[in-house]
Amino acid sequence: MKNSSTGPQRPSSQADAKPAAGTTMTRRRFLKHGAAAVLGAGLAVGAYASLWEPNRLEVRRLTLALNGLPAAFNGLKVVQFSDMHLGFYAGAKAAVRVVEAINREKPDLICFTGDMVDGEVDALEEAILPLSGLEAAFGKYSILGNHDFYDIEKLIRMEEKAGFTVLRNSHAKLRRGGEQIAVVGLDDGIWGHPDPASALEGLPEGMIKIVLMHEPDYGDTTAEYPVHLQLSGHSHGGQVRLPWLGEVVTPPGAKRYVQGLYHVGSRGMPLYVNRGIGMTQLPIRLLCQPELTVLTLRGETCDRESLGAKSPS
């Protein structure tokens, strides 16, 4: 009786071999690995944005020409800082770090452009007092920002105790070698009542005037007055910026001028927008480091491009 088999079995080819268990990438495993990669990247970005970048202070140095600057003030070094937001993930430790960074620059003049606090003022005196260590030959001046309106009078007393001259629609004259320039401070543009005419009252039109105004977009109004430079903050540079896209969102009052140097109005008034030190709304910064600005003022004419000026978008 013949064997019912069809004959000798051919050896299994490599193509017929079944893969060992666990060597194939099933759809489920692919999605699982993909999700893990996305989650890992998100955690890495989150850690960078919340723990690393907020603590990386960028010192930006610019030379800025102001036609008519008196020879006695040629080379004046102005340090601008802004938007401390003490109370919102920032306290005395952040203030001490800023004081050390500013004093290393040996400034002639220190200007703070608003939003010292972000919350109730009572608990923030210990955070503000380290700023008394700031040193500058012509002193330090500050203005109010929109987050400073919880208890204005108490905040002003705290800032004055730390050595600031707080300007609200007022000015101070700086004197050197028989010549003068002025620092002018405007009230906040959101909760206050900025009044450039009152702030400039009594100042000769040709006198160099450095205006401190929290909201940068107010520069379109400031440029209509005989003002030579505006320093602003408020925008945080967007606080979160994306490659090729720039800022994700900016607050009202900082839609047109977001960061850096601009020239505004028919006279080309210089406007510098500082990205600030602290944070608000969200405790993160992404591709938008805290900034300390060091401006060296010169009387001679300089080319705008060489100074990094931008046109508004």
Side-chain angles (χ1 to χ4, degrees):
M1 192 171 179
K2 291 186 179 178
N3 195 310
S4 58
S5 68
T6 56
Q9 299 292 317
R10 62 182 175 85
S12 297
S13 68
Q14 185 175 0
D16 293 330
K18 291 184 178 181
T23 61
T24 57
M25 178 65 76
T26 65
R27 182 174 181 273
R28 178 178 294 179
R29 292 184 66 199
F30 175 80
L31 293 175
K32 183 178 179 180
H33 282 274
V38 170
L39 178 61
L43 290 173
V45 171
Y48 173 84
S50 62
L51 301 175
W52 177 259
E53 188 164 313
N55 296 306
R56 307 298 295 175
L57 182 62
E58 178 184 353
V59 180
R60 186 166 185 212
R61 298 178 176 83
L62 294 91
T63 298
L64 187 60
L66 300 181
N67 288 330
L69 183 71
F73 290 92
N74 197 49
L76 185 78
K77 184 184 285 189
V78 181
V79 169
Q80 179 198 6
F81 71 116
S82 193
D83 297 87
M84 288 292 294
H85 287 276
L86 296 172
F88 187 84
Y89 290 88
K93 185 177 180 180
V96 169
R97 183 184 62 176
V98 168
V99 168
E100 292 172 348
I102 291 176
N103 285 344
R104 281 196 295 269
E105 298 297 324
K106 295 181 170 51
D108 298 307
L109 173 67
I110 297 172
C111 296
F112 178 74
T113 46
D115 278 0
M116 179 67 76
V117 297
D118 197 336
E120 298 295 333
V121 177
D122 288 340
L124 298 175
E125 185 169 8
E126 290 186 2
I128 293 174
L129 280 179
L131 298 175
S132 62
L134 290 171
E135 299 176 353
F138 287 107
K140 49 197 180 190
Y141 297 85
S142 71
I143 57 171
L144 299 176
N146 58 299
H147 283 265
D148 292 327
F149 276 70
Y150 290 97
D151 190 335
I152 297 173
E153 299 308 319
K154 184 172 289 186
L155 176 62
I156 289 175
R157 288 196 299 271
M158 287 183 182
E159 290 194 21
E160 288 176 343
K161 186 176 179 180
F164 287 91
T165 298
V166 182
L167 300 173
R168 296 187 72 188
N169 295 327
S170 59
H171 64 260
K173 295 178 182 177
L174 311 182
R175 297 174 173 85
R176 176 187 276 176
E179 298 179 303
Q180 300 180 68
I181 64 174
V183 179
V184 180
L186 298 181
D187 203 4
D188 179 68
I190 295 176
W191 295 108
H193 302 282
D195 188 346
S198 295
L200 296 169
E201 187 175 359
L203 297 177
E205 183 168 338
M207 178 185 286
I208 291 291
K209 306 172 193 71
I210 302 171
V211 168
L212 312 182
M213 175 62 189
H214 186 59
E215 289 83 12
D217 289 356
Y218 197 82
D220 290 331
T221 297
T222 308
E224 298 174 0
Y225 290 83
V227 166
H228 300 80
L229 169 64
Q230 177 176 318
L231 302 179
S232 296
H234 184 56
S235 71
H236 295 210
Q239 196 166 299
V240 173
R241 301 178 67 85
L242 298 178
W244 305 292
L245 297 177
E247 64 277 2
V248 175
V249 64
T250 56
K255 300 296 185 182
R256 187 166 172 80
Y257 308 110
V258 178
Q259 67 168 353
L261 181 64
Y262 301 85
H263 285 88
V264 181
S266 59
R267 296 183 297 108
M269 179 197 75
L271 162 64
Y272 192 85
V273 187
N274 179 285
R275 293 194 302 268
I277 301 292
M279 302 168 288
T280 190
Q281 304 299 323
L282 294 173
I284 60 173
R285 276 184 176 267
L286 182 61
L287 303 182
C288 194
Q289 289 181 213
E291 177 184 353
L292 189 68
T293 309
V294 182
L295 295 166
T296 300
L297 305 185
R298 299 289 182 188
E300 64 271 14
T301 301
C302 296
D303 181 78
R304 288 186 185 180
E305 285 69 22
S306 69
L307 298 172
K310 299 178 286 188
S311 298
S313 57

